[in-house]
Amino acid sequence: DSGVTQTPKHLITATGQRVTLRCSPRSGDLSVYWYQQSLDQGLQFLIQYYNGEERAKGNILERFSAQQFPDLHSELNLSSLELGDSALYFCASSPTPGQGTDTQYFGPGTRLTVL
Amino acid sequence: LAKTTQPISMDSYEGQEVNITCSHNNIATNDYITWYQQFPSQGPRFIIQGYKTKVTNEVASLFIPADRKSSTLSLPRVSLSDTAVYYCLVGAPEKLTFGTGTRLTIIP
């Protein structure tokens, strides 16, 4: 158990809909990262927050947005969903803003299925 | 951003030592090398991290030559439970690209 929690575990929805994925980082960790992993693909970095502020942005679509709240939990919002958005979405946390020695602790993921 | 190159897949028998090499020719001076393990439908798990020479922990060793342009993850006496995808990453977390990793299959 990494200490990172993600809800829900599974999510099934229809094209065009909007969903929200939630992540609670490990106690004391200030950074939260979001990743997308499609079938048989590597993890694609989406976005990072540190202590409530966006710190780095990767391959995140404009239809996707995220935020980190004062209690440090984070939400990833996916809108106008398409079939291709079906994937595993992972959240990870680390204690610092992103140092070379940081270890990321990953949550169990949310499996999103868009029908 | 340091790009990494790993073999797509490897097979090994139980009880053998497995070495997975990663190339990172344009590694920056301040970059560390980190390896993660991922089982199907689970999040990646940190294995080991190093900067130069050799690092060993309870599960693996990491060998880094003096020029740091490559690194080798060594798993001693693998078992079936080591079947997973292994990712080599270089650099600060916000710059990391996991890529597709190396799919290691352990054969009984």
Side-chain angles (χ1 to χ4, degrees), chain A:
Chain A
D1 183 0
S2 67
V4 178
T5 60
Q6 290 186 248
T7 57
K9 190 172 179 61
H10 299 279
L11 197 49
I12 301 174
T13 188
T15 55
Q17 295 299 302
R18 171 189 172 95
V19 297
T20 297
L21 312 183
R22 182 187 170 103
C23 169
S24 293
R26 290 189 325 151
S27 176
D29 283 358
L30 299 179
S31 274
V32 170
Y33 307 79
W34 285 98
Y35 292 86
Q36 179 192 57
Q37 186 171 39
S38 302
L39 188 65
D40 293 331
Q41 298 295 311
L43 285 100
Q44 299 294 318
F45 168 67
L46 296 178
I47 197 165
Q48 180 206 359
Y49 280 82
Y50 174 74
N51 204 21
E53 300 291 325
E54 181 184 307
R55 178 158 179 94
K57 186 176 283 191
N59 300 320
I60 187 166
L61 300 173
E62 287 190 9
R63 300 184 286 109
F64 297 178
S65 64
Q67 55 184 325
Q68 186 179 27
F69 295 87
D71 67 353
L72 300 177
H73 91 271
S74 178
E75 293 181 356
L76 179 67
N77 300 296
L78 315 176
S79 62
S80 303
L81 285 168
E82 302 175 359
L83 295 178
D85 298 327
S86 295
L88 266 170
Y89 290 85
F90 289 105
C91 163
S93 74
S94 68
T96 59
Q99 310 296 327
T101 56
D102 268 5
T103 296
Q104 292 186 70
Y105 297 88
F106 282 79
T110 292
R111 181 174 294 281
L112 173 66
T113 302
V114 182
L115 301 176

Side-chain angles (χ1 to χ4, degrees), chain B residues 3 6 13 24 30 41 47 59-60 62 64 78 88 91 94 106:
Chain B
K3 177 178 167 55
Q6 306 174 232
Y13 288 97
H24 28 80
N30 296 330
S41 297
I47 300 176
V59 298
L62 179 60
I64 305 169
V78 293
C88 161
E94 70 269 24
I106 305 303

Side-chain angles (χ1 to χ4, degrees), chain B:
Chain B
L1 176 62
K3 177 178 167 55
T4 60
T5 303
Q6 306 174 232
I8 293 175
S9 64
M10 295 179 64
D11 295 337
S12 180
Y13 288 97
E14 273 192 296
Q16 299 292 307
E17 178 184 75
V18 172
N19 296 310
I20 306 174
T21 297
C22 178
S23 296
H24 28 80
N25 290 319
N26 58 340
I27 187 170
T29 302
N30 296 330
D31 285 342
Y32 279 71
I33 301 156
T34 310
W35 286 79
Y36 285 81
Q37 174 193 57
Q38 185 181 26
F39 298 113
S41 297
Q42 293 186 27
R45 183 174 70 104
F46 171 85
I47 300 176
I48 197 166
Q49 184 181 74
Y51 182 79
K52 62 179 180 180
T53 63
K54 177 183 176 182
V55 179
T56 298
N57 61 22
E58 63 276 10
V59 298
S61 295
L62 179 60
F63 298 90
I64 305 169
D67 66 6
R68 303 199 330 119
K69 294 183 183 300
S70 66
S71 58
T72 299
L73 174 72
S74 181
L75 305 173
R77 298 181 300 281
V78 293
S79 65
L80 295 176
S81 63
D82 293 315
T83 294
V85 177
Y86 292 81
Y87 297 96
C88 161
L89 295 98
V90 174
E94 70 269 24
K95 302 177 184 176
L96 297 179
T97 301
F98 275 76
T100 53
T102 298
R103 185 175 300 275
L104 175 66
T105 302
I106 305 303
I107 305 166

